[in-house]
Amino acid sequence: MELVIDRVTKQFGNKIAVDNLSITLTQGVYGLLGANGAGKTTLMRMMCGIMTPTSGMIQYNGSDVKSEDYRDELGYLPQDFGYYPDFTAIEFLLYMSSLKGIPTMRAKDKIAELLDNVNLKAVAKKKIKTYSGGMKQRLGIAQALLNNPKILILDEPTGGLDPKERVKFRNIISELGKDRVVLLSTHIVSDVEHIAENILVMKEGRLIHQGARAKILKSIEGKVWECIVSQTEADKLMLQYPIINVRNEKSGVLLRLVSSSKPDKNALLMDASLEDLYLYYFSDQVIEKEEK
């Protein structure tokens, strides 16, 4: 099982969205991190055969991603997934099953299993237009799994899910990654940190890091600090460094920040996390924190 992305570039006019990117994906869960405009969605759409690379090649087990054999092995949840509002969940999934060529009886059994897994069994006969955003997202996850795909590509799949739902989703994805390639793109760093064995970091169309969590965190070892300072000093530091966290304490303002050198005489060096890494490279972007 091997999905090969070989020197792939995608250009829109003068803008290069994906820039000479090469990587080979094998069995397991891959987390794709990057700020808006990094090229994540463009890459995923090319991997699904929806977009054609300007140059380069994408193949699965030697077959082009445009082939029917590959589509039969693919499950995809785009960031903006379309629904038929007057369909019930069961009707919608039966319709999607027919598009994927799944026999009706087999589809019905799979649909019942998936609706239970994504916690929609109780509302399976209600119209989709009555669903919340999180419920629609869970239905999207179910449709991506209808054909038991060997390649599963999920673009921002946990948007709209509450913390409890996200934990259940992460457990499902961890299990799926045991016998297929799963690529998960999200802005919620904790989702990637919990379930991805391999992490890919994209910036300006290029992969700037790839590998296990421990491997990629080496790039910011010795650069994560915490210090308690006055409000005046905190204001100065927040203008100078990528700030990970700010908390008001009785003794002052607690800052967690990224710096190549000691930012304050009272600063203490901390163990780095994946969220720290994200802020280091995308300090102008807002991280979506995991809700407590």
Side-chain angles (χ1 to χ4, degrees), residues 112-148:
E113 173 193 330
L114 289 170
L115 288 173
D116 188 39
N117 284 346
V118 299
N119 199 25
L120 289 176
K121 187 176 180 181
V123 293
K125 295 183 179 179
K126 290 190 176 181
K127 292 185 177 182
I128 298 172
K129 65 183 178 184
T130 67
Y131 284 13
S132 67
M135 292 164 73
K136 290 176 182 175
Q137 198 71 358
R138 281 181 274 148
L139 183 60
I141 292 166
Q143 70 78 30
L145 295 170
L146 278 169
N147 56 328
N148 195 28

Side-chain angles (χ1 to χ4, degrees), residues 8-22:
V8 165
T9 292
K10 183 63 177 179
Q11 188 165 351
F12 300 98
N14 294 324
K15 178 178 171 55
I16 298 176
V18 176
D19 190 2
N20 196 35
L21 190 148
S22 294

Side-chain angles (χ1 to χ4, degrees), residues 29-33 189-201 209-221 224 256 270-278 281:
V29 180
Y30 293 80
L32 181 59
L33 288 176
V189 178
S190 59
D191 285 344
V192 173
E193 195 155 27
H194 279 92
I195 63 175
E197 301 99 331
N198 297 282
I199 295 165
L200 313 175
V201 184
H209 284 293
Q210 64 183 80
R213 177 182 178 275
K215 176 186 174 184
I216 68 170
L217 286 181
K218 287 182 179 179
S219 66
I220 57 166
E221 280 182 0
V224 180
R256 185 179 179 95
M270 310 301 292
D271 290 334
S273 70
L274 195 58
E275 189 172 84
D276 298 329
L277 177 104
Y278 190 100
Y281 287 105

Side-chain angles (χ1 to χ4, degrees), residues 71-72 74 93-111 114 142-149:
R71 289 196 296 271
D72 289 343
L74 176 68
L93 292 176
L94 280 170
Y95 171 69
M96 295 302 295
S97 296
S98 68
L99 293 181
K100 296 184 181 190
I102 303 170
T104 302
M105 289 309 297
R106 198 174 87 201
K108 286 181 177 179
D109 291 340
K110 188 65 176 177
I111 288 167
L114 289 170
Q143 70 78 30
L145 295 170
L146 278 169
N147 56 328
N148 195 28

Side-chain angles (χ1 to χ4, degrees), residues 3-292:
L3 183 60
V4 178
I5 302 162
D6 184 20
R7 295 167 291 177
V8 165
T9 292
K10 183 63 177 179
Q11 188 165 351
F12 300 98
N14 294 324
K15 178 178 171 55
I16 298 176
V18 176
D19 190 2
N20 196 35
L21 190 148
S22 294
I23 188 171
T24 297
L25 307 182
T26 56
Q27 183 177 305
V29 180
Y30 293 80
L32 181 59
L33 288 176
N36 289 332
K40 305 188 304 297
T41 294
T42 299
L43 174 63
M44 297 175 105
R45 287 173 68 84
M46 288 191 291
M47 292 169 67
C48 293
I50 298 168
M51 284 183 178
T52 302
T54 305
S55 62
M57 180 176 59
I58 304 176
Q59 290 189 328
Y60 174 63
N61 290 345
S63 297
D64 189 86
V65 294
K66 295 282 189 180
S67 70
E68 186 174 340
D69 288 345
Y70 177 74
R71 289 196 296 271
D72 289 343
E73 300 281 7
L74 176 68
Y76 176 46
L77 176 61
Q79 188 171 354
D80 299 309
F81 188 71
Y83 299 88
Y84 294 94
D86 286 320
F87 278 25
T88 66
I90 292 175
E91 289 169 342
F92 174 73
L93 292 176
L94 280 170
Y95 171 69
M96 295 302 295
S97 296
S98 68
L99 293 181
K100 296 184 181 190
I102 303 170
T104 302
M105 289 309 297
R106 198 174 87 201
K108 286 181 177 179
D109 291 340
K110 188 65 176 177
I111 288 167
E113 173 193 330
L114 289 170
L115 288 173
D116 188 39
N117 284 346
V118 299
N119 199 25
L120 289 176
K121 187 176 180 181
V123 293
K125 295 183 179 179
K126 290 190 176 181
K127 292 185 177 182
I128 298 172
K129 65 183 178 184
T130 67
Y131 284 13
S132 67
M135 292 164 73
K136 290 176 182 175
Q137 198 71 358
R138 281 181 274 148
L139 183 60
I141 292 166
Q143 70 78 30
L145 295 170
L146 278 169
N147 56 328
N148 195 28
K150 288 297 181 184
I151 306 290
L152 184 59
I153 296 177
L154 306 169
D155 194 357
E156 300 290 343
T158 54
L161 302 187
D162 65 32
K164 185 177 179 181
E165 290 171 329
R166 287 213 305 273
V167 170
K168 185 169 185 179
F169 169 77
R170 292 196 300 240
N171 292 339
I172 292 170
I173 296 303
S174 294
E175 189 67 25
L176 290 170
K178 291 178 181 178
D179 60 355
R180 71 197 76 204
V181 177
V182 180
L183 181 63
L184 166 70
S185 169
T186 180
H187 283 92
I188 303 172
V189 178
S190 59
D191 285 344
V192 173
E193 195 155 27
H194 279 92
I195 63 175
E197 301 99 331
N198 297 282
I199 295 165
L200 313 175
V201 184
M202 277 189 81
K203 186 173 185 178
E204 296 175 353
R206 291 179 172 269
L207 274 182
I208 59 172
H209 284 293
Q210 64 183 80
R213 177 182 178 275
K215 176 186 174 184
I216 68 170
L217 286 181
K218 287 182 179 179
S219 66
I220 57 166
E221 280 182 0
K223 297 179 181 178
V224 180
W225 306 84
E226 283 191 0
C227 56
I228 296 178
V229 295
S230 67
Q231 184 63 60
T232 301
E233 187 62 25
D235 291 341
K236 291 179 183 177
L237 291 171
M238 284 190 281
L239 292 173
Q240 292 178 269
Y241 302 102
I243 302 298
I244 297 160
N245 195 49
V246 181
R247 188 171 74 236
N248 288 315
E249 304 274 347
K250 288 182 179 179
S251 54
V253 181
L254 175 64
L255 294 180
R256 185 179 179 95
L257 53 83
V258 181
S259 173
S260 298
S261 57
K262 192 171 184 176
D264 182 84
K265 63 181 180 180
N266 297 317
L268 298 175
L269 197 59
M270 310 301 292
D271 290 334
S273 70
L274 195 58
E275 189 172 84
D276 298 329
L277 177 104
Y278 190 100
L279 258 294
Y280 182 62
Y281 287 105
F282 308 106
S283 57
D284 57 337
Q285 299 289 322
V286 177
I287 279 192
E288 185 173 347
K289 300 274 189 178
E290 182 169 14
E291 299 169 44
K292 303 296 183 186

